[in-house]
Amino acid sequence: MTTVTTAQDVNQPTLQPAAPAGRKLSLPVLLLIIAGGLALTSLVRVVTGADGITNVSQMSTALELAVPIGLAGLGGLWAERAGVVNIGLEGMMILGTWFGAWAGYQWGPWTGVLVGIIGGAIGGLVHAFVTVTFNVNHIVSGVAINILALGATRYLAPLAFEGKEGGSAKQSPQVESLGDFTVPGLSDALSDLNHKGWFLVSDIAGLLGGLVTNVSWLTLIAVALIPGSWWILWRTAFGLRLRSCGENPVAAESLGVNVYKYKYLAVIISGGLAGLGGVFLSIVANPFYLEGQVSGRGYIGLAAMIFGNWMPGGLALGAGLFGYTDSLNLRGGSENVHALLLLGALLLVIGAVWLVVRKKYTAAAITLLIGVLVFTWYATTNEVPNQVVSATPYVITLIVLALSAQRLRMPKADGLPYRKGQGK
């Protein structure tokens, strides 16, 4: 729908999406799928007794871990909607962690937030300068920024933090907390309901309880950026022009859009959002900068953006999924992951039935076989190795991208070289 609007407004019929309309999910269908997923999860909790998979603490941790992933993915969405692939999200997050902790330690946490955003935006500016002005391959530029950011912070950390109280060559001194909030009354009521262990009701209470218990103010800002980005990109003239640069920059230029300007703005905003994700890691998740604390979240954010089909809502769902699987490492990981093997087996069986309905019998047989193997793994063991628990977020990332690949449609000019006046 969004690309059709773009096509109408820039008068270019070639911008029509390639994916058939029948593949699009309506909001009621999407909500029904989410409800079905919650019901299956609740059933697994009741059968296995793994109450930790939906308790308030688990959901609160999942939200905290989803925020930096979501911010990185949102940064990627802004850049790629303007036609610039941003593999450098990881490096921009690293810059955000270091600059945020450095400024937060000296001048307070909110100053750290601002400076961390600027640090990430500087990385975005470099990426825009190299890719837009000099037309360097976007992947090469992004990888270079990741390497440069890591090297720069390793060089700067000893100079800034070594010799300070609580600081070292790889860690900053502690940064003051931004503070958090809990909705009084509602949080306790949801927690009590969650402890009842009722089918579905307690699981929904756990999910909602995690959203209103010990939530950082920066989390609130990050969540608000999702609908805010959607409104700007899909409901304003600025967003329409920016997206036209990612669909057909030649057509946009013919209608008077300054394509270079919009690409620069999009990538700088992208870097700032990734930097904010880094700030979250070094001020909220941990009250200090620590070398290596980004740990690939920039890449997972990029995967969440692709899973969400370059849309803010889908991106939020992807970030939530990856944040939840990551939280399994911190809270009863082995027991919870073992319980989720049963959930995976059930989902595979349902997928096999769906493939049979669509008369894809070979794919259905393979899916059913994998489901049987997963169920056998669950039934013949009591726990999973810690290595499997640690790898779960990355395995889920690969599985989700593989399953959603047929529904994806990136902006048509994403990653393609562009020169001003090339359509003349």
Side-chain angles (χ1 to χ4, degrees), residues 302-304 306-307 322 396-406 408:
L302 198 63
I306 296 171
F307 165 77
F322 300 141
I396 292 295
T397 301
L398 294 174
I399 292 174
V400 165
L401 288 179
L403 294 177
S404 61
Q406 298 301 315
L408 302 179

Side-chain angles (χ1 to χ4, degrees), residues 334-354:
S334 180
E335 177 188 353
N336 292 338
V337 172
H338 183 260
L340 291 179
L341 288 176
L342 178 58
L343 177 62
L346 290 174
L347 290 173
L348 286 166
V349 171
I350 292 171
V353 172
W354 174 246

Side-chain angles (χ1 to χ4, degrees), residues 168-367:
S168 68
K170 296 186 177 182
Q171 179 179 315
S172 74
Q174 185 168 327
V175 180
E176 183 184 347
S177 173
L178 286 169
D180 54 37
F181 71 92
T182 296
V183 179
L186 180 60
S187 175
D188 291 336
L190 289 171
S191 181
D192 291 341
L193 190 57
N194 178 243
H195 288 144
K196 298 288 186 182
W198 295 338
F199 175 75
L200 190 59
V201 175
S202 294
D203 302 286
I204 294 175
L207 174 62
L208 297 177
L211 302 178
V212 296
T213 305
N214 298 327
V215 179
S216 167
W217 293 107
L218 197 56
T219 299
L220 195 63
I221 293 172
V223 171
L225 285 171
I226 299 291
S229 293
W230 172 83
W231 185 82
I232 292 172
L233 290 174
W234 274 271
R235 288 296 181 267
T236 67
F238 170 82
L240 175 63
R241 296 188 187 103
L242 187 147
R243 289 185 295 114
S244 71
C245 295
E247 293 289 347
N248 194 327
V250 175
E253 182 187 351
S254 70
L255 294 173
V257 175
N258 188 332
V259 176
Y260 278 13
K261 181 182 80 171
Y262 279 93
K263 284 180 179 288
Y264 261 89
L265 286 172
V267 181
I268 291 171
I269 292 171
S270 172
L273 289 168
L276 183 59
V279 169
F280 190 93
L281 291 173
S282 62
I283 293 182
V284 177
N286 296 300
F288 47 80
Y289 162 81
L290 183 65
E291 185 179 303
Q293 69 190 137
V294 175
S295 298
R297 287 180 175 86
Y299 298 114
I300 298 178
L302 198 63
M305 177 206 67
I306 296 171
F307 165 77
N309 207 10
W310 289 264
M311 294 291 290
L315 158 66
L317 288 176
L321 173 63
F322 300 141
Y324 176 76
T325 54
D326 202 11
S327 70
L328 297 175
N329 291 322
L330 303 179
R331 296 185 175 275
S334 180
E335 177 188 353
N336 292 338
V337 172
H338 183 260
L340 291 179
L341 288 176
L342 178 58
L343 177 62
L346 290 174
L347 290 173
L348 286 166
V349 171
I350 292 171
V353 172
W354 174 246
L355 289 170
V356 169
V357 170
R358 299 182 66 185
K359 299 181 179 180
K360 296 183 178 181
Y361 301 115
T362 302
I366 295 173
T367 303

Side-chain angles (χ1 to χ4, degrees), residues 47-48 338-342 373-382:
V47 171
T48 63
H338 183 260
L340 291 179
L341 288 176
L342 178 58
L373 291 174
V374 173
F375 178 78
T376 303
W377 184 7
Y378 166 78
T380 56
T381 59
N382 293 320

Side-chain angles (χ1 to χ4, degrees), residues 88-162:
L89 291 168
E90 180 85 0
M92 295 168 198
M93 288 187 77
I94 292 173
L95 292 174
T97 60
W98 191 91
F99 280 101
W102 171 71
Y105 161 67
Q106 298 186 80
W107 301 299
W110 287 109
T111 303
V113 170
L114 178 61
V115 174
I117 292 172
I118 293 172
I122 290 172
L125 177 62
V126 172
H127 187 49
F129 184 67
V130 171
T131 57
V132 178
T133 301
F134 290 102
N135 227 6
V136 172
N137 181 277
H138 299 187
I139 305 299
V140 172
S141 173
V143 171
I145 286 174
N146 292 338
I147 296 171
L148 288 173
L150 183 61
T153 53
R154 282 183 175 175
Y155 172 77
L156 292 171
L159 299 177
F161 305 137
E162 206 166 26

